[in-house]
């Protein structure tokens, strides 16, 4: 919504301003207001780009943040990453020239984006930023690799597309993926600490392995496969490392345990120390580092935000009386707020102004604007229902009022919860029974009735407001289910895929029941709130998976083959590789767990994240292939998953323990005051959610309690400004 | 050490007192000093028993805390618990009358302990304490069960020894296991919160199962065993629940994934939500509750401690001048400290007094005594080496001094680290090679030489001080290895068991190498410091395992049989139960994972904690047996393991972040002052460790930063005292 600072929008707000009788004081040029609004929105979204303040650069900067350019960028990144689906080894093979052309197009798009960025910020800043250097290097390397690969392929030589490993780095660097870069930074920062614990952990594994070798190696024990048990040191090390991931428990222990129960004690001590204690210590170290560095980053974020707001203030300020404090007039304030949030409600804007105004109109109040804009205020005007205006007699009649009371009643919710539960039982029953199949229509009708009743009773705009998650959920699920069910009965030939969609939609409908239980709603809301941050970790995982998938495909492609269920090829029994004959890998039918294309690679990597089953690949290539799986486990399970757990822990603590911020409190107090002042029927009924619009705001809240007062104090002395290289404010007040 | 308040010791201190020229002020009777010292030591060890203050009760109370009675109690508890080894189904069968007699003896011992306790505290307090009621009920029930069981067995009826489930509760209630009871309380307190998250989690599992049934049930897929795949709802629920524990990953997914890779997405989403997000939320909820309630408990602990110190002060106080503040004289103070810690060093005691004295001699200073006694102060008197006194000419000769410098040198440590590493390689090599076998003697000689050199250079009492963990470790390991190796070569017939011990000792010796690396030492020290608390969790786990082992043995004993390696019984292939023929359980040779005796039950339960493999037992009894494993998993993995992780997390944060307490600082400052004041060669060289003597002290430090000032403020108004029912202080000053 912020990116919508289009020139037309600017014109609109200027025209509405000139008509306003309030604009008595000095008004700034649109260029100055634009600059101020850019500072404010940068502060609001915690953008940290030191753009040039020349008018041309500001226009380009605004363009740089336009939503369609961002979407286009993500689109090209997605295309670039998904090229792996079409390249050798492909899921859907495309000729080499086609994928090459698409990749070139992507590279071109990234170069354009980079050039655009270079025009926005001063050249010295551009070349100092490692991010940009990184992009340029990746683009160059990719180009070189494409040329070499193309040339080698054209002359039928063996060629390796090694630059594919670099692709996910573009996701990190080209996009303004600040969250993602921060996650990477917290990994980098935690690494030294993790490293020492890891060394100790490995030392412990090595010592236990040596002990196992001495205790068990000479006893002539055998594994189930009949192989000698615990006779080779490095094999033992690997087996015991896998035991930490719990993947081969209790198999690895059974031969020794069968020989004597005393050996079970060895394994129990091993699991206690290495699985439970060391893994907890890893989590503790990661969590501790994560907290420490995140706090530091948030502190810098808060400082940068204040600096930007101070610069915006410097642009807008005027001295009203001789020797007085500089202030920003309401008219200018309104202008800037309209530029930053074009779709802001008047009531909401007035509320924010009155919160600011309460303190004073000086810098201290203005600086809060960025945070104020991040507080979600929902203005619920108690508008009359459209039917009330259209046909008041009917809408206010006794039956209509009764209906309204019914829908508002608690029993209405309970009745529908029971209907959902009954529906769940019906879904569980055999759908080929015609009675059951037809009952689906009844349930669909009931759900539709519920939605219609609610639409009749509740004001539609309130019902469809952005925050009514469950209303939207209901309508989308019920309407899609209706459409899918109709198509399904129309097609008659029972198309499995449509039926699958129908089933999924039917089952998803049941989720609604959790919303009616207060306790569940609180947990779900927390989960929804930390959802966007979880997506950041999703990106992180995709980056790591992509790199490992590319390397894995080069190392293992074609080594393990999957044969369809109806295949009669005898090679099916050993996944098409004689080396796997008789191994547990083939017996357990794991043939589809291979690196033959990017999709199966990703699925295999997910499996490896859950439990590290990889013996098959060591069999078909070389024992050293285990190093690949070992590194993957360390990086994903010990580092990334622990950072993820640390994040969830911290987010839940914040939800449980942190109170509302001061700013929240003052906005709420103001809302109450306004409600008291205007006690007419159509008064402003604003309700405040404790939600946050951005992940950064959540993070800031997480560490707000820990921030030093000096971080929140003003720090706009000239030294501080020049020290931080804030450029020369060409637009500042005359 | 505290329990050593024997009458002889009292006499000794009184006689030494009467000889002291310092004892000018009014001296209290031994009874009063005794009472005061009991209050102080109760405060120091955070004991919370409201004992009667009559002289007889105080004597009994002192007896109650004597170490030999406690050891006896633990011995009887151990005997009572280990009866399971000898009872049906037994590891070493004993006749019924023998186990019954032993159990009766144990019950008698517990009854004695309880009667002793009843004599110490006022009757109304005794009957109000649920702990005592619990013990009485358990004793009664056990007696009733024993009678019924004996009668039924005598008449050859089927009988069930159900009261064995209650045995571990005695470990919780009979002992003064405050840590253990606290761990149980934190579980109980966390349960409501966990319960709601658990319901939501189960709801999610149920919804996913329903979706799986609809999507996969009708496709005619098969598992590897050829069984129909995902056709029965409750089976799916169980399979998906097991997937959360990652035990059956990726097997449960393979049939669907082999059919189409789209279904893999279903499983990935499932694992993401239920394994990663929900398990993190469980940890977050448990951790949050753990912190909250522990903080509350520590607050109460601190309050109770202050109250006890105030009572001790009330006994000892005297008003020196008219209208002045009441004080405790140094003589009385010394008496009490000697009673509380009979083996305290004079230097240490003087140090503590000077810390107290610095502030004033009033109540505020006295109240700190309990905490001061908990600070570990090691008085390292730089005594001359015994050789120095015996033969100074030789000991101070040039070669001797050179030797001393060598041993002190950093290179000495490095040389021995290299020796250890070379030794590690030799251990790894084949010990049947005579060269390698003989090299062991060289290494042993080298290690012995190291110890002798150190004993020559360092003062023995310093070398063997209680805190020199690694010195003790070295000597014990090296000497045992020497003895075992000598026995091993003497016996000649290579006895496997002695050889095993030799091997273990050899490998353990290698651990010493971590001590030379600073970073590792820090981590290891933290682990050693939280060791005692981890033992508390060990007890907790034993209690839970014991209960489940008892129930499991009743449910599953004899269902799965283990045949020795050399058995030719055809039933060996299916663990002696035809129902297991061809199952994965039998194929993987899991037959020894059974409930046939208490040892194998415990080992099986450990395995279940790591990964929940239990399909075998559901096969041999009934599908509902899964409920047993399901409850076990919830209780142990979701609740207890998470509390354990929470504890380790918190302990590491404390180690990382909390600074020394104020009291620590003032003791350290005082040490520095004393060092400056007495700058002679034999001055007091006290060094302060940041160690804590008790778990409670660690806990208090953990939450010290969070405690409200009012918790630390004095709260000894009459209302507060009577409100807390501190009884009538019969001994208080005349």
């Amino acid at each position: 919504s912020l990116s919508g600072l289009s020139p037309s929008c600017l014109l609109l707000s200027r025209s509405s301003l000139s008509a306003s009788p309030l604009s008595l004081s000095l008004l700034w040029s649109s260029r100055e207001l634009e600059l101020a609004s850019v500072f404010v929105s940068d502060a609001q979204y915690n953008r940290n780009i030191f753009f040039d303040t020349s008018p041309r650069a500001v226009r380009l900067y605004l363009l740089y943040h336009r939503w369609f350019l961002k979407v286009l960028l993500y689109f090209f990144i997605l295309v670039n990453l998904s090229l792996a689906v079409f390249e050798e080894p492909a899921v859907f093979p495309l000729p080499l020239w086609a994928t090459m052309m698409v990749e070139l197009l992507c590279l071109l798009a990234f170069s354009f984006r980079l050039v655009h960025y270079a025009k926005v910020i001063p050249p010295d800043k551009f070349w100092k930023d490692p991010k940009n250097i990184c992009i340029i290097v990746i683009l160059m390397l990719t180009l070189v690799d494409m040329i070499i690969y193309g040339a080698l392929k054209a002359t039928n030589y063996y060629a390796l597309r090694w630059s594919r490993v670099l692709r996910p780095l573009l996701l990190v660097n080209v996009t303004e993926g600040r969250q993602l870069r921060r996650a990477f930074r917290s990994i980098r920062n935690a690494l030294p600490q993790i490293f020492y614990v890891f060394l100790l952990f490995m030392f412990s594994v090595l010592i236990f392995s040596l002990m196992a070798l001495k205790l068990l190696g000479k006893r002539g024990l055998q594994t189930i496969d009949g192989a000698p048990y615990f006779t080779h040191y490095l094999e033992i090390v690997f087996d015991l490392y896998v035991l930490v991931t719990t993947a081969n428990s209790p198999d690895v222990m059974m031969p020794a345990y069968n020989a004597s129960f005393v050996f079970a004690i060895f394994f129990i001590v091993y699991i206690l120390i290495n699985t439970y204690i060391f893994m907890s210590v890893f989590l503790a170290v990661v969590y501790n580092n994560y907290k420490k560095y995140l706090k530091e980053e948030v502190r810098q974020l808060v400082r940068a935000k204040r600096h930007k707001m101070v610069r915006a203030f410097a642009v807008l300020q005027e001295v009203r009386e001789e020797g007085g404090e500089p202030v920003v007039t309401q008219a200018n304030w309104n202008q800037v707020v309209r530029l930053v949030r074009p779709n802001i409600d008047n009531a909401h804007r007035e509320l924010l102004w009155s919160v600011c105004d309460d303190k004073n109109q000086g810098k201290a109040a203005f600086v809060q604007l960025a945070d104020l804009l991040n507080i979600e205020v929902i203005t619920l005007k108690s508008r009359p229902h459209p039917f009330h205006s259209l046909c008041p007699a009917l809408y206010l009649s006794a039956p209509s009022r009764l209906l309204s009371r019914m829908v508002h009643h608690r029993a209405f919710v309970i009745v529908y919860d029971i209907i959902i539960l009954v529906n769940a039982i019906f879904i569980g029953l055999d759908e080929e029974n015609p009675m059951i199949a037809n009952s689906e229509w009844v349930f669909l009708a009931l759900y539709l009735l519920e939605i219609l009743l609610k639409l009749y009773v509740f004001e539609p705009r309130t019902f469809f407001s952005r925050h009514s998650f469950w209303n939207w959920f209901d309508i989308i699920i019920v309407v899609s289910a209706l459409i899918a069910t109709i198509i399904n009965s129309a097609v008659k030939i029972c198309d499995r895929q449509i039926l699958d969609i129908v089933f999924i939609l039917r089952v998803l409908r049941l989720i609604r029941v959790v919303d009616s239980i207060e306790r569940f709603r609180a947990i779900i809301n927390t989960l929804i709130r930390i959802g966007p941050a979880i997506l950041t970790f999703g990106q992180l995982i995709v980056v790591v998976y992509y790199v490992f998938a590319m390397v894995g495909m080069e190392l293992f492609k074609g080594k393990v083959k999957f044969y369809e269920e109806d295949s009669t090829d005898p090679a099916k029994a050993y996944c098409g590789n004689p080396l796997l004959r008789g191994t547990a890998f083939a017996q357990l039918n794991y043939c589809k767990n291979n690196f033959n294309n990017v999709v199966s690679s990703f699925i295999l990597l997910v499996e490896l994240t859950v439990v590290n089953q990889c013996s098959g690949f060591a069999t078909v290539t070389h024992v050293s292939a285990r190093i690949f799986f070992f590194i993957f486990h360390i990086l994903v399970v010990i580092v990334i998953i622990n950072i993820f757990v640390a994040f969830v822990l911290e987010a839940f603590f914040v939800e449980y323990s942190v109170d509302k911020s001061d700013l929240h409190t003052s906005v709420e107090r103001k809302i109450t005051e306004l409600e008291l002042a205007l006690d007419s029927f159509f008064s402003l009924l604003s309700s405040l959610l404790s939600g946050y619009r951005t992940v950064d705001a959540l993070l800031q809240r997480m560490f707000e309690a820990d921030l030093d007062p000096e971080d929140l104090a003003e720090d706009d002395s000239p030294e501080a400004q020049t020290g931080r290289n804030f450029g020369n404010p060409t637009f500042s007040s005359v």
Side-chain angles (χ1 to χ4, degrees), chain A:
Chain A
S1 66
L2 164 94
S3 321
L5 291 177
S6 63
S8 64
C9 162
L10 277 174
L11 281 173
L12 188 76
S13 40
R14 291 216 38 91
S15 60
S16 69
L17 175 76
S18 51
S20 157
L22 282 163
S23 54
L24 298 173
S25 62
L26 180 59
L27 284 177
W28 302 104
S29 72
S30 82
R31 290 200 321 187
E32 283 160 330
L33 286 170
E34 203 169 36
L35 181 65
S37 73
V38 170
F39 281 131
V40 172
S41 63
D42 274 9
Q44 191 196 347
Y45 293 100
N46 284 314
R47 290 200 204 100
N48 234 342
I49 299 172
F50 297 100
F51 59 92
D52 202 350
T53 47
S54 69
R56 196 175 137 269
V58 171
R59 297 273 153 166
L60 276 171
Y61 184 67
L62 283 172
L63 184 67
Y64 187 78
H65 284 300
R66 290 293 284 276
W67 66 268
F68 61 85
L69 281 183
K70 282 190 176 176
V71 168
L72 210 64
L73 181 69
Y74 272 100
F75 170 75
F76 276 114
I77 286 173
L78 207 68
V79 168
N80 193 28
L81 287 178
S82 58
L83 273 177
V85 178
F86 306 102
E87 290 167 343
E88 258 327 294
V91 184
F92 308 107
L94 278 186
L96 184 61
W97 62 264
T99 57
M100 286 281 200
M101 287 306 295
V102 173
E103 181 148 23
L104 263 184
L105 198 69
C106 290
L107 294 188
L108 213 65
F110 301 144
S111 311
F112 266 123
R113 182 75 178 171
L114 196 67
V115 169
H116 188 168
Y117 185 67
K119 297 235 177 249
V120 166
I121 69 165
D124 59 318
K125 288 257 181 294
F126 181 81
W127 292 107
K128 267 182 200 152
D129 191 344
K131 197 186 77 177
N132 301 324
I133 309 297
C134 184
I135 297 171
I136 292 170
V137 169
I138 291 172
L139 293 180
M140 298 302 238
L141 285 176
T142 308
L143 214 59
V144 168
D145 183 39
M146 281 169 72
I147 292 166
I148 295 173
Y149 185 80
L152 284 172
K153 275 283 163 189
T155 53
N156 279 319
Y157 276 99
Y158 172 77
L160 189 72
R161 254 321 242 116
W162 48 265
S163 71
R164 302 203 295 177
V165 167
L166 303 173
R167 277 183 199 156
L169 297 183
L170 288 171
L171 171 62
V172 185
N173 288 306
V174 174
T175 63
E176 298 304 309
R178 205 159 3 85
Q179 317 298 336
L180 190 56
R181 279 209 293 282
R182 181 183 298 143
F184 266 102
R185 265 200 302 273
S186 36
I187 291 175
R188 207 181 49 208
N189 292 329
L191 279 184
Q193 288 271 356
I194 292 174
F195 180 69
Y196 284 104
V197 180
F198 184 75
L199 279 186
L200 203 58
F201 162 72
M202 277 316 295
F203 178 76
S204 152
V205 172
L206 291 175
I207 287 284
F208 271 100
S209 303
L210 192 56
M211 218 181 268
L213 177 69
K214 298 318 277 184
L215 288 181
L216 297 164
K218 293 266 163 170
R219 277 169 205 265
L221 300 177
Q222 289 189 325
T223 61
I224 327 167
D225 306 338
Y229 177 71
F230 272 15
T231 51
H232 187 267
Y233 185 63
L234 287 180
E235 294 275 331
I236 300 174
V237 172
F238 191 76
D239 279 346
L240 287 185
Y241 184 83
V242 174
L243 181 56
V244 172
T245 74
T246 74
N248 57 0
S249 166
D251 307 77
V252 72
M253 176 178 112
M254 289 318 292
Y257 180 36
N258 285 335
S260 163
F261 79 91
V262 177
F263 294 121
I265 296 168
F266 171 83
F267 286 96
I268 290 172
V269 171
Y270 177 83
I271 287 174
L272 175 69
I273 292 181
N274 291 293
T275 304
Y276 290 109
I277 296 184
F278 266 108
M279 290 298 136
S280 303
V281 173
F282 275 121
L283 179 59
V285 169
V286 168
Y287 185 21
N288 200 43
N289 269 276
Y290 174 78
K291 254 168 110 169
K292 197 171 86 186
Y293 286 102
L294 201 54
K295 198 154 137 185
E296 189 48 45
E297 292 220 355
V298 169
R299 179 174 290 145
Q300 284 172 11
L301 224 77
V302 171
R303 281 220 185 104
K305 177 186 276 185
R306 290 192 61 84
H307 278 287
K308 281 188 217 101
M309 290 310 290
V310 167
R311 290 196 72 186
F313 183 78
V315 173
L316 294 175
Q317 70 184 359
E318 55 194 275
V319 180
R320 209 179 282 173
E321 54 216 57
E322 208 61 48
E325 285 279 305
V327 291
V328 174
T329 59
Q330 188 175 6
N332 282 327
W333 192 93
N334 281 340
Q335 285 292 312
V336 168
V337 171
R338 273 198 210 106
L339 279 172
V340 174
R341 285 260 293 266
N343 54 353
I344 196 169
D345 210 281
N346 275 333
H348 183 183
R349 208 190 56 231
E350 275 160 30
L351 174 74
L352 294 187
W353 171 254
S354 66
V355 172
C356 277
D357 194 32
D358 236 24
K359 304 193 172 171
N360 63 57
Q361 293 169 30
K363 191 152 61 187
F366 185 79
V367 160
Q368 290 187 333
L369 178 59
D371 289 329
L372 276 176
L373 286 170
N374 272 338
I375 294 176
E376 294 229 52
V377 174
I378 304 168
T379 46
L380 295 169
K381 294 227 177 66
S382 58
R383 290 195 196 86
H385 197 282
F387 289 160
H388 183 256
S389 332
L390 283 171
C391 184
L394 192 66
Y395 197 72
L396 297 173
S397 66
S400 169
R401 277 172 180 273
L402 183 70
L403 194 69
S404 173
R405 270 211 303 282
M406 261 171 57
V407 173
H408 276 109
H409 200 271
R410 176 107 193 98
F412 185 76
V413 177
I414 293 169
V415 165
Y416 265 95
D417 284 350
I418 293 166
I419 290 174
I420 289 174
L421 291 177
V422 173
N423 190 4
I425 295 163
F426 270 79
I427 292 174
L429 296 172
D430 190 358
E431 76 272 6
E432 279 167 22
N433 180 329
M435 205 273 280
I436 306 282
N438 290 330
S439 74
E440 178 57 23
W441 293 106
V442 177
F443 285 112
L444 266 179
L446 283 170
Y447 293 132
L448 274 178
L449 180 69
E450 183 193 14
I451 292 172
L452 290 178
L453 280 176
K454 281 190 177 168
L455 278 177
Y456 180 78
V457 172
F458 299 107
E459 206 274 324
R461 265 186 283 182
T462 314
F463 189 75
F464 286 114
S465 75
R466 204 154 57 85
H467 306 280
S468 309
F469 174 79
W470 290 109
N471 290 343
W472 281 104
F473 181 84
D474 261 14
I475 287 181
I476 291 170
I477 294 285
V478 169
V479 172
S480 330
L482 185 68
I483 295 168
T485 310
I486 289 171
I487 293 175
N488 188 44
S489 359
V491 175
K492 278 295 179 197
I493 317 124
C494 194
D495 183 5
R496 203 63 228 189
Q497 271 169 329
I498 295 175
L499 203 58
D500 282 350
I501 294 168
V502 171
F503 285 145
I504 292 172
L505 289 170
R506 272 187 212 164
V507 175
L508 284 179
R509 225 159 44 193
L510 305 181
I511 296 177
R512 231 275 315 272
V513 86
V514 298
D515 187 47
S516 17
I517 298 157
E518 182 68 45
R519 294 267 194 167
F520 289 174
R521 213 181 316 164
I523 301 166
I524 293 271
N525 283 342
T526 308
L527 286 177
I528 290 173
R529 217 164 296 151
I530 64 175
I534 288 177
L535 286 185
T536 304
F537 284 97
Q539 285 183 307
L540 185 67
I541 287 279
V542 166
V543 169
V544 176
Y545 275 20
Y546 200 92
V547 172
F548 275 91
M550 292 301 129
V551 175
M553 273 157 59
E554 291 302 337
L555 291 175
F556 307 112
K557 75 179 163 205
K559 304 268 181 192
V560 174
K561 290 196 193 71
F562 172 68
Y563 295 85
E564 288 298 329
E565 203 66 41
D566 43 10
S567 157
T568 53
D569 195 325
K572 191 185 160 195
Y574 48 85
C575 305
N577 193 323
L579 287 169
L580 286 171
R581 197 168 277 160
T583 58
F585 187 89
Q587 275 167 8
L588 290 169
N589 211 356
Y590 282 0
C591 308
K592 208 171 182 176
N593 291 335
N594 58 40
F595 279 102
N596 293 354
N597 63 53
V598 72
V599 174
S600 62
S601 301
F602 263 72
I603 293 173
L604 177 54
L605 291 174
V606 173
E607 288 174 21
L608 289 177
T609 308
V610 180
V611 277
N612 214 331
Q613 304 269 29
C614 57
S615 51
F617 291 94
T619 315
V620 293
T621 52
H622 185 256
V623 174
S624 63
R626 286 173 173 172
I627 295 170
F628 175 84
F629 298 95
F630 180 70
I631 295 173
F632 179 78
H633 183 259
I634 296 170
L635 200 64
V636 174
V637 179
I638 295 189
V639 181
I640 297 179
I641 296 286
N642 274 335
I643 289 194
F644 175 75
V645 174
F647 176 82
V648 174
L649 282 183
E650 194 63 25
F652 259 78
F653 292 157
V654 172
E655 289 296 327
Y656 273 123
S657 56
V658 174
D659 300 322
K660 284 176 183 146
S661 71
D662 287 349
L663 219 52
H664 257 109
T665 320
S666 57
V667 172
E668 281 191 326
R669 201 181 49 235
K670 188 51 75 177
I671 289 169
T672 322
E673 277 175 31
L674 288 173
E675 278 176 355
L676 289 176
L678 316 161
D679 55 353
S680 76
F681 181 63
F682 290 104
S683 76
L684 182 78
L685 274 167
S686 307
S687 119
L688 183 76
L689 277 192
S690 64
Y692 284 86
R693 293 175 62 94
T694 62
V695 179
D696 283 325
L698 177 67
L699 289 177
Q700 191 181 330
R701 185 177 163 213
M702 270 160 81
F703 293 108
E704 223 160 39
D706 296 326
L707 285 180
D708 287 338
E710 67 191 54
D711 293 316
L712 297 168
E714 288 191 57
D715 183 17
D716 48 333
S717 55
E719 304 90 291
Q721 285 204 18
T722 53
R724 297 198 155 242
N725 270 332
F726 269 113
N728 48 338
T730 46
F731 268 117
S732 74
S733 55
V734 198

